Structure formats: C-alpha cells, structure tokens
Amino acid sequence: MDTDDGSTETGITDDGPAGDDDGVDRPTVGEAVVDCLLDHGVEVAFGIPGKQTLPLNRAFADRDARFVVARHETAVTHQAWGYAESSEPGTMAATVVVPGPGDMNAMNGLKNAKNDCVPLLHLAVETERDVRGGDGIHETPPATYDTVVKENVLVESPAGAVAAVADAIRVARQPPQGPVRVGIPKDVLASRTPQATPPAEGPAETTTPEPDAAAVDRAASLLDAADAPVVVAGGGVRRAGASDRLRSVAERLDAPVVTTYKGKGTLPETHPLSAGVLCGGASTELRDLLATADAGLVVGSDLDAVATAKWSVSLPETLVHVTLDGDDIGFGYETDLGVVADADRFLAALDSRLGERTQGGPEMSGEARAAAVREADRDRFAAVAAAREPDDPLRSVEVLRAVRGAVPDAAVVTADAGGFRLWTLVGFPASGPDSYVNPGSWATMGTGLPSAAGAKLANPDRDVVALTGDGGLLMCVHELHTLAAEGIDVTVVALNNDDYAIISEEASRSFGFPEGAYGWADASLDLVSVARGMGVPAERVTERDGVGDAVASALRRDGPALVEVVTDPAEPQASEWMTR
C-alpha cells in the first residue's frame, strides 16, 4: 500500500503478516486499542485523520464510536480538555494525531491540560519502527513531548500496546490528574499481534489516601479560633468533585469563599458566601478581604504567580494550605500548616471536626464580608459602563451582563483567554463547578470554541455557550466548520473590538505606542460573514438591548450559531479598573 512519502509497503512486519498468520482470527492492534478505550469509558475521540491513523479510524467507525474530525490539531486537545472540564471527575476523552506536525500542533493543548490537571489520553501514531532514526516523514524524537504531559509512553513491543493504553488511562485519572501521551508506531497498529492482558482493576485505582488525622485536627483548631476566616478554593476542588464539601465547610466556618480562576464556580457565585475570583482583575476590596482575614484555608490551589499577581496579594498570617503537590506548599507564602491531601477527602474530614461557630456582630459575619466585596465590584462594573460615551461601542461588562441574563444557569459556559477574560472572570457569575471552563496559568488563546465543542459532546442535553474575543476566535476559527460539519450545537458569543486591546493598552501606557497600535481599525473583521461561510448562522449586534435577544435566539436554534457583538477597543482593562 502507498505511504505518505509515495513508497509502498508489503503489509508485512517483523511480527509476521498483517493478516491472520497463525490461523487465529484476532483483531488488529488498532481495534484492540479502541476496544480498550471503550471498555474503560473513553467513548469520544477528537482528531485529524492521516494515513498513519487509519487503523484506529477504521476501528472507531466499525464500533460506531464517536470520532470528531477537527480542522487543526491545536483544537483537538482543547476539545478533549473541555470535555473533561465539564464532566464528572475522571471522565475523559481521547485525541488522535499523526506524527510530527500533528503531534507538535497538539502540544499547546497538552500543556494547558497538564497545568490544569485535566485527564485526557493522547494517542500519537509514531513513525514505523524500521524507519525510526532515519528521518522518516514527520519523524520527531518521542522525548520531545516529555514536558507537556503527565507521562509519555512509547510502545516498543507490539504485544504491549493495549496494556500501555490501559495503564495510561489509569495514570491520567490518578490524582493529580493530567494528560498522558501514548506513542504507538504505525506498523504496530495494523498488525494482529496478540496483546498482553492488562490488570482488570488497574484503571479503577484512582483514589487518594485519607489525610493525616493530626493535621486535620490542627487545621480545625486554627480555623475554629479565627474571628474572620476566609477560604480560597482552587481547581483541585473541581477535579476532586469537592464542591459540596467546600460549601459545607464554608458555611460551618461562616467564611467568605474566594476562588482562583481555575476554581471559579466550585462554589456557585449566587451563594451568599461567594466573594469573587482571585485573578489579575481581582478588585481592591477582594484583596482587602484576604489581607484582613485572621485565618485562611487554601484548598486545591498551588497559589501560582498568575492568581496571586506574583505573590503580591496579601493572605492571612495564619494559613492552612492543602494541595496534592507538596512542592507547592511554602513556595510563595509561608504557611502555619501544609497538608498534602485530596481536596474532597480533606474537606470531608475537616467538616466533621469543626466546632459549632458563634458569630460576632453582623458586620463581621462571613455573608456580610462577602456581600461587601460583591457590592463594591458591582459599583465598579456600573461605573465602567457609565463612563462609555453614547456613541462608543459597548463595553465588555455590559455585554457579559446581558449574556448572563440570557443563558440558563444549567448551561456550560467556556471562556477563551485574552483581554476580555479578566472581565469574564470577575463579572460573569458561574453557576456551578461544571458550568464554567477556562484555561489556567497556561492562558493560551484559542480555547473557547474548541472546548465548547468538547463540552457539548460531554453534555448533549445542556446548552453550551463559548465566550471569546476576536483575537482568540481567529486562532481557532476553523473549528466553526467543525461545529457545522459535526452538527455540534454550540452558541458562540464573540466580542469583537478589532484589536489585541490588552496588548495595545500596555504598549500605549508603558512604551509610548499610539493607541490601537495592535488593532485593525482600517481592516475590520466581519465575523458574521466568516461564520456563515462555514455553514454557521450568525448575527451581529451593536446595541446593548439587542445582546440578550440575539443570544436567546441562538440558543433556541437547533444547531450551532454565532453572535458577534461589537465592543470598545479603548475600554479600561479589568486589571487597571478594578484596582484603582
């Protein structure tokens, strides 16, 4: 058969013919690998087919398993990431790519998933074994990918392919979760080599040990003694499925809850103890809440440089820090007590040990302290909207408020990176732990649309809305065609200011560039025409009163749709406005 470089293959490997060489009718390795995925609950794969992947594609098709054909490999790992982020903990999808360029394109999303501790199985078809080292087509050294995944496995023995995949699923789901890459040579997939049987119980071993009892007692004592405690919740709460435990502990402590950008939604932001999101757009009032608390519980967060503005945010002097990685404890902040533990198990144990709380005066209650921050933030949102001149384009906070009013609380909302993301983090309330998806410290643009596609396949009965800017959308605009071609019912809301506005603002303020230096005022972008050209119905909105109606109409449509909203490239950035 023809190969990618125009040569031919005989269909014979060093393991014997690709067909039935010993009289036993056994599946190909590709078929056995797909059977392994399905047996372990991995039911959806995202990828771009190539000649190298066809043994896997044939197996997916024969089993009527869902294989979503994307338009660029950068999107496939973001799609699988969005699938997992909007699902129950441990639920995951697979990605399938060709060697070299396909694999490298997917690295961006693999690193994003690694930073966010999100499980996915990345199946990379490797160069044939007898060509490896000879600069075969698309060949890259497998070790190239070591730093962007939790574990990188190369199948050396054809008989071990299924065992390697089964173990990769276990490792991906084992806390701290993450992406695992399995490289399988092209010639191995087409062979019918008998497969070693993996341990049946392996992938189920995803639990973590109980937290140390003495440490839990010490944490309870420190927090019980506080008059004005606060809780900081990170993405580890989501990954552990610990939102109910978080709410119970916060209510028992009567403590405001501040989430990190990856923890957003782990306590629904309609809860009276919700005080906002710790990120670059966190307000002065939220930062003061943290600084004036007399004790803090940080759970499921590494307190990274992005969330804490390079550790410049003041945290309580008495600090209990709970995370799965001991190297994170004490890195940016001194702690009174560091505990290496799973968020759900720790919070459950802590909840059972906390005493009955006697509240102080009304002004010191957790609900009052959280409400004061929310009210101050609303005042800031109102002021930035009011500062707009009547003929100026809309500002992000106005658009987001209208979109939130039109989108059901049960919907999944995915948010891209970019300048508008900070406004979204602080000004778009998330209704639950699986209702809001956004990239963490990797902060790569171009995630909003593909992650929404993944979220919709994981949640077929829920509305799914992608929030993106024109900059982020143009980095993945090809996936509008994937929505249309695959019939994926996602509503895309694109805030279009024809500018890399967050870059233009900094360039002007700090480096003397003219305003809008990195914008396209003279070459404006028509997203409606782009979307319609890819088979996605679209509407453009310029007035505030039209935003909610347009989004509601798009959600009612059976199939994907795009709403383009024109916004102001000169609007204040959240990082400046919320801290003035």
Side-chain angles (χ1 to χ4, degrees), residues 295-553:
L297 168 64
V298 178
V299 58
S301 173
D302 57 2
L303 293 176
D304 65 39
V306 177
T308 64
K310 300 179 183 177
W311 306 284
S312 64
V313 174
S314 296
L315 294 183
E317 289 188 8
T318 299
L319 199 64
V320 177
H321 189 181
V322 182
T323 179
L324 279 173
D325 189 344
D327 287 340
D328 295 332
I329 296 172
F331 184 87
Y333 293 92
E334 293 184 6
T335 59
D336 290 84
L337 176 65
V339 185
V340 177
D342 169 77
D344 190 56
R345 287 175 175 260
F346 178 86
L347 289 171
L350 178 65
D351 196 18
S352 67
R353 288 168 172 78
L354 289 171
E356 293 298 323
R357 190 163 191 81
T358 301
Q359 294 186 0
E363 72 283 353
M364 286 294 292
S365 75
E367 291 189 6
R369 290 186 291 138
V373 175
R374 295 196 306 271
E375 183 177 356
D377 284 357
R378 284 193 296 268
D379 288 345
R380 289 178 182 272
F381 302 151
V384 74
R388 174 174 66 88
E389 296 296 329
D391 293 334
D392 287 345
L394 298 174
R395 292 187 165 178
S396 296
V397 291
E398 301 174 89
V399 177
L400 294 170
R401 182 166 64 244
V403 173
R404 178 70 277 181
V407 174
D409 286 346
V412 180
V413 176
T414 68
D416 213 323
F420 87 102
R421 180 173 78 137
L422 290 182
W423 283 120
T424 307
L425 283 170
V426 300
F428 188 93
S431 58
D434 59 355
S435 69
Y436 188 89
V437 177
N438 81 130
S441 60
W442 188 235
T444 180
M445 295 175 69
T447 63
L449 170 54
S451 63
K456 183 61 182 181
L457 292 180
N459 301 273
D461 298 327
R462 298 170 68 184
D463 290 318
V464 175
V465 176
L467 297 177
T468 185
D470 57 299
L473 181 59
L474 263 287
M475 294 183 185
C476 61
V477 70
H478 37 76
E479 296 311 301
L480 288 173
H481 189 254
T482 300
L483 296 185
E486 296 279 344
I488 302 174
D489 187 1
V490 166
T491 294
V492 181
V493 180
L495 283 66
N496 183 6
N497 59 16
D498 280 318
D499 202 327
Y500 285 139
I502 194 171
I503 308 302
S504 291
E505 189 273 340
E506 175 70 11
S508 174
R509 176 167 50 87
S510 301
F511 294 91
F513 281 84
E515 290 187 5
Y518 295 106
W520 291 273
D522 297 328
S524 59
L525 181 65
D526 184 352
L527 292 176
V528 168
S529 294
V530 172
R532 289 175 177 171
M534 294 191 184
V536 176
E539 177 180 356
R540 179 178 243 230
V541 180
T542 59
E543 300 296 329
R544 181 171 57 191
D545 291 344
V547 174
D549 289 343
V551 173
S553 177

Side-chain angles (χ1 to χ4, degrees), residues 162-234:
V162 167
V165 169
D167 193 58
I169 295 170
R170 177 190 63 81
V171 172
R173 288 172 168 162
Q174 179 74 39
Q177 298 170 5
V180 177
R181 178 185 182 273
V182 180
I184 307 177
K186 173 184 175 182
D187 54 307
V188 169
L189 287 171
S191 76
R192 297 186 183 273
T193 307
Q195 292 295 293
T197 302
E201 72 280 2
E205 297 292 331
T206 59
T207 58
T208 54
E210 290 289 340
D212 180 77
V216 177
D217 287 340
R218 175 65 175 152
S221 177
L222 290 171
L223 295 168
D224 273 335
D227 292 320
V230 69
V231 176
V232 177

Side-chain angles (χ1 to χ4, degrees), residues 45-395:
F46 302 92
I48 295 182
K51 291 185 177 182
Q52 298 93 336
T53 72
L54 288 177
L56 287 170
N57 294 113
R58 179 72 267 172
F60 276 107
D62 288 345
R63 284 146 181 79
D64 200 26
R66 188 70 187 262
F67 185 92
V68 177
V69 179
R71 301 294 283 178
H72 197 278
E73 291 92 349
T74 302
V76 302
T77 38
H78 295 326
Q79 288 164 339
W81 166 77
Y83 186 98
E85 280 279 73
S86 60
S87 302
E88 293 292 323
T91 303
M92 58 190 282
T95 52
V96 179
V97 297
V98 299
D103 217 358
M104 284 194 164
N105 284 335
M107 288 178 77
N108 184 19
L110 291 174
K111 176 61 172 171
N112 183 45
K114 183 184 180 186
N115 280 24
D116 288 358
C117 297
V118 172
L120 66 87
L121 176 67
H122 183 63
L123 294 176
V125 183
E126 291 280 359
T127 304
E128 303 97 312
R129 290 168 295 160
D130 60 355
V131 177
R132 192 183 300 157
D135 199 21
I137 187 168
H138 298 336
E139 182 177 3
T140 51
T144 301
Y145 310 97
D146 283 351
T147 60
V148 297
V149 290
K150 181 179 178 181
E151 190 169 297
N152 184 19
V153 180
L154 176 63
V155 173
E156 300 281 7
S157 169
V162 167
V165 169
D167 193 58
I169 295 170
R170 177 190 63 81
V171 172
R173 288 172 168 162
Q174 179 74 39
Q177 298 170 5
V180 177
R181 178 185 182 273
V182 180
I184 307 177
K186 173 184 175 182
D187 54 307
V188 169
L189 287 171
S191 76
R192 297 186 183 273
T193 307
Q195 292 295 293
T197 302
E201 72 280 2
E205 297 292 331
T206 59
T207 58
T208 54
E210 290 289 340
D212 180 77
V216 177
D217 287 340
R218 175 65 175 152
S221 177
L222 290 171
L223 295 168
D224 273 335
D227 292 320
V230 69
V231 176
V232 177
V237 175
R238 172 180 286 106
R239 294 265 56 85
S243 287
D244 288 343
R245 306 284 195 193
L246 171 67
R247 183 179 65 250
S248 181
V249 165
E251 290 173 349
R252 187 178 290 275
L253 285 171
D254 187 36
V257 175
V258 174
T259 69
T260 67
Y261 49 92
K262 284 307 301 181
K264 182 176 172 70
T266 50
L267 183 73
E269 291 180 292
T270 54
H271 193 285
L273 286 172
S274 174
V277 179
L278 181 60
C279 62
S283 65
T284 298
E285 290 78 10
L286 185 144
R287 297 172 192 233
D288 287 346
L289 171 74
L290 292 169
T292 57
D294 57 357
L297 168 64
V298 178
V299 58
S301 173
D302 57 2
L303 293 176
D304 65 39
V306 177
T308 64
K310 300 179 183 177
W311 306 284
S312 64
V313 174
S314 296
L315 294 183
E317 289 188 8
T318 299
L319 199 64
V320 177
H321 189 181
V322 182
T323 179
L324 279 173
D325 189 344
D327 287 340
D328 295 332
I329 296 172
F331 184 87
Y333 293 92
E334 293 184 6
T335 59
D336 290 84
L337 176 65
V339 185
V340 177
D342 169 77
D344 190 56
R345 287 175 175 260
F346 178 86
L347 289 171
L350 178 65
D351 196 18
S352 67
R353 288 168 172 78
L354 289 171
E356 293 298 323
R357 190 163 191 81
T358 301
Q359 294 186 0
E363 72 283 353
M364 286 294 292
S365 75
E367 291 189 6
R369 290 186 291 138
V373 175
R374 295 196 306 271
E375 183 177 356
D377 284 357
R378 284 193 296 268
D379 288 345
R380 289 178 182 272
F381 302 151
V384 74
R388 174 174 66 88
E389 296 296 329
D391 293 334
D392 287 345
L394 298 174
R395 292 187 165 178

